[in-house]
């Protein structure tokens, strides 16, 4: 296996391990919260589930917010990949998604106990999809930053046009998948949750 391929594999595995650690941190943080903060989390979750059960969600506002959030984040990651100093921000955004996933799942389990396992899995489905999409996109974003560094500072002969074309294609695919994830989050997940509740 070529050293370059090995390094790329290590980067991908590193992102997966980092995401796993971030998920565990989200779970641990929930366990360490004070009683008052746990009550605040419980009230927030029960209020949301109550709206879902009654069908009182504002789907139009929710889909706009979700689409805007995913779109802005995807575009931000795209431009961060074109900047070497954007590497730590890219990693922070990715790992924060993993942290929120772990926190959300254990919070729902805390409120609904064993029934919460199914609710947490369904509620977190879009978050899991987003995390997988961002895993791929962050991987290519970090690779692009690395190639940019090689070309600017190490003066290595790199086919920058080919790398740029691949990066743009990955961005387009991930952007489209994030929009699909938003649709699942707003229109499909609440219906399944309502059926279970």
């Amino acid at each position: 296996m070529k050293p370059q391929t090995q390094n790329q594999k290590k980067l991908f595995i590193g992102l997966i391990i980092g995401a796993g650690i971030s998920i565990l941190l989200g779970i641990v943080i929930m366990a360490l919260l004070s009683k008052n903060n746990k009550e605040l989390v419980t009230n927030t979750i029960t209020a949301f589930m109550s709206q879902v059960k009654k069908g009182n969600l504002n789907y139009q506002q929710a889909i706009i917010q979700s689409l805007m959030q995913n779109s802005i984040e995807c575009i931000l990651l795209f431009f961060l990949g074109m900047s070497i100093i954007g590497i730590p921000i890219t990693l922070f955004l990715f790992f924060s998604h993993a942290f929120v996933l772990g926190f959300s799942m254990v919070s729902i389990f805390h409120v609904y106990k064993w029934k919460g396992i199914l609710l947490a899995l369904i509620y977190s489905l879009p978050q899991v999809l987003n995390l997988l999409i961002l895993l791929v996109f962050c991987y290519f974003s970090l690779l692009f930053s690395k190639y940019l560094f090689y070309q600017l500072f190490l003066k290595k002969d790199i086919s920058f046009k080919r790398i740029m074309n691949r990066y743009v294609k990955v961005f387009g695919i991930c952007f489209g998948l994030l929009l699909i994830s938003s649709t699942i989050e707003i229109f499909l997940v609440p219906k399944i949750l309502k059926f279970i509740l």
Side-chain angles (χ1 to χ4, degrees):
M1 186 179 290
K2 295 181 180 179
Q4 184 176 353
T5 305
Q6 288 180 332
N7 291 334
Q8 291 175 0
K9 185 178 179 181
K10 288 179 181 178
L11 173 61
F12 194 75
I13 293 174
L15 288 173
I16 294 174
I17 293 174
I21 294 173
S22 299
I23 291 172
L24 290 176
L25 282 175
I27 294 172
V28 171
I29 290 296
M30 175 57 191
L32 296 177
L33 286 179
S34 65
K35 184 178 179 180
N36 289 337
N37 286 329
K38 284 183 179 179
E39 287 180 357
L40 179 61
V41 171
T42 299
N43 292 337
T44 302
I45 291 174
T46 52
F48 171 76
M49 292 299 181
S50 177
Q51 284 187 316
V52 169
K53 190 173 183 179
K54 295 176 182 177
N56 291 336
L57 294 178
N58 188 334
Y59 290 98
Q60 183 177 358
Q61 181 181 357
I63 190 64
I64 291 174
Q65 289 179 347
S66 181
L67 289 173
M68 285 187 62
Q69 179 180 336
N70 285 339
S71 299
I72 291 173
E73 188 166 21
C74 193
I75 293 171
L76 177 62
L77 286 172
F78 176 78
F79 285 108
L80 287 173
M82 301 173 71
S83 168
I84 298 169
I85 60 173
I87 292 176
I89 304 174
T90 298
L91 292 172
F92 173 78
L93 288 173
F94 175 65
F95 292 140
S96 65
H97 270 273
F99 175 86
V100 170
L101 173 61
F103 186 84
S104 299
M105 294 187 73
V106 76
S107 297
I108 295 175
F109 176 75
H110 171 76
V111 176
Y112 292 96
K113 307 308 176 188
W114 293 110
K115 182 181 178 181
I117 295 178
L118 182 59
L119 292 173
L121 289 174
I122 295 170
Y123 175 80
S124 302
L125 176 61
Q127 291 179 320
V128 173
L129 290 175
N130 285 355
L131 189 63
L132 293 174
I133 295 167
L134 290 176
L135 169 64
V136 174
F137 191 44
C138 286
Y139 168 74
F140 280 98
S141 177
L142 293 171
L143 277 184
F144 189 86
S145 295
K146 184 183 76 170
Y147 289 133
L148 184 63
F149 176 82
Y150 284 167
Q151 188 174 59
L152 292 178
F153 298 101
L154 302 182
K155 306 301 180 181
K156 288 193 174 183
D157 186 18
I158 296 174
S159 178
F160 199 74
K161 182 179 180 181
R162 179 179 61 83
I163 295 171
M164 185 66 186
N165 288 338
R166 183 181 65 176
Y167 187 47
V168 171
K169 287 178 182 178
V170 172
F171 165 73
I173 293 171
C174 291
F175 188 86
L177 290 175
L178 284 173
L179 297 185
I180 294 173
S181 178
S182 291
T183 305
I184 293 172
E185 176 188 7
I186 303 304
F187 294 108
L188 180 59
V189 169
K191 294 183 184 301
I192 300 176
L193 291 174
K194 184 178 180 181
F195 177 76
I196 296 174
L197 292 168

